[in-house]
Amino acid sequence: MKNPYILVLFYSRSGHTQRLAEFIAQGIESLGCVEARLRTVPPVAVQTDTTLPPVPLDGAPYATLDDLKDCIGLALGSPTRFGNMAAPMKHFIDGTSGLWNSGALIGKPASVFTSTGSLHGGQETTLLTMILPLMHHGMIWVGSPYSNPELMRTSSGGTPYGVSHLAGVKSDRSIDDTEKQLAFAAGQHLARIALKLQET
């Protein structure tokens, strides 16, 4: 494949999930042979009178279904909303039935990441529920292995199910070094698996 890339698709309100996405992207690109393509999704609201511009004013562009169809792997991230992914990300995923019908994502590796306001605010449930639609697409779940020693010493974010971050109830806690290391390692791990699958 020409210019292979891994899609790092996220939704972020206060910037924490976006920062995780950026560290994951750094891990992906550290291998030097695959691109990390950062993309986001537009917000959704009960009132839909206002039309958003087709391209965000700043930050990552909005994802398209082609971004997803043509990637060799996916890192999917969202802040926690009552133990689940945020509505904008769920809205985007719900619009991928055409890819499901064609089997476009079957056999591609996927990882997930999240940010929460409290330590027990749904990190693991959000990661688990985010992977469910990807498994319906036939994707291969890539977690964070315990070969990363940071998993055994983190006191904030980081699970074997995927990368996570504790932002604090006021969203004022920065991503710490352990969380950064886990995000970077997760990007590397996902990229290595995606490249191995390309060889088969």
Side-chain angles (χ1 to χ4, degrees):
M1 171 184 276
K2 186 179 179 182
N3 298 324
Y5 67 88
I6 291 174
L7 180 61
V8 183
L9 177 59
F10 67 92
Y11 175 70
S12 188
R13 282 295 294 253
S14 58
H16 297 279
T17 309
Q18 178 178 338
R19 290 297 292 144
L20 281 181
E22 291 165 354
F23 290 124
I24 291 168
Q26 289 174 19
I28 291 167
E29 295 195 337
S30 70
L31 298 186
C33 53
V34 62
E35 173 194 346
R37 183 173 291 184
L38 284 162
R39 294 290 185 269
T40 189
V41 296
V44 296
V46 176
Q47 298 293 330
T48 56
D49 294 340
T50 303
T51 301
L52 291 171
V55 177
L57 299 177
D58 58 12
Y62 293 137
T64 67
L65 293 181
D66 282 342
D67 287 323
L68 191 53
K69 177 174 70 74
D70 296 332
C71 71
I72 66 168
L74 170 68
L76 185 71
S78 170
T80 291
R81 294 291 183 268
F82 298 105
N84 206 328
M85 72 181 94
M89 185 58 72
K90 181 68 165 58
H91 180 72
F92 179 84
I93 295 297
D94 284 349
T96 62
S97 58
L99 298 179
W100 180 83
N101 284 328
S102 68
L105 303 181
I106 292 173
K108 294 182 181 185
S111 64
V112 288
F113 58 101
T114 193
S115 176
T116 60
S118 61
L119 184 58
H120 301 292
Q123 288 187 2
E124 292 182 349
T125 58
T126 300
L127 296 171
L128 290 168
T129 54
M130 286 174 68
I131 203 67
L132 292 176
L134 305 183
M135 294 180 80
H136 277 259
H137 272 287
M139 300 190 86
I140 301 167
W141 186 2
V142 176
S144 295
Y146 277 98
S147 55
N148 298 319
E150 295 82 12
L151 271 182
M152 295 300 289
R153 63 173 181 259
T154 182
S155 59
S156 53
T159 79
Y161 311 108
V163 175
S164 61
H165 163 63
L166 172 62
V169 293
K170 295 181 180 180
S171 292
D172 57 357
R173 184 181 174 278
S174 298
I175 296 173
D176 66 30
D177 287 340
T178 301
E179 293 168 333
K180 288 177 189 176
Q181 290 164 3
L182 286 167
F184 187 89
Q188 282 187 325
H189 186 54
L190 176 61
R192 286 192 182 107
I193 290 174
L195 290 168
K196 285 180 181 176
L197 289 170
Q198 288 295 297
E199 296 169 1
T200 58

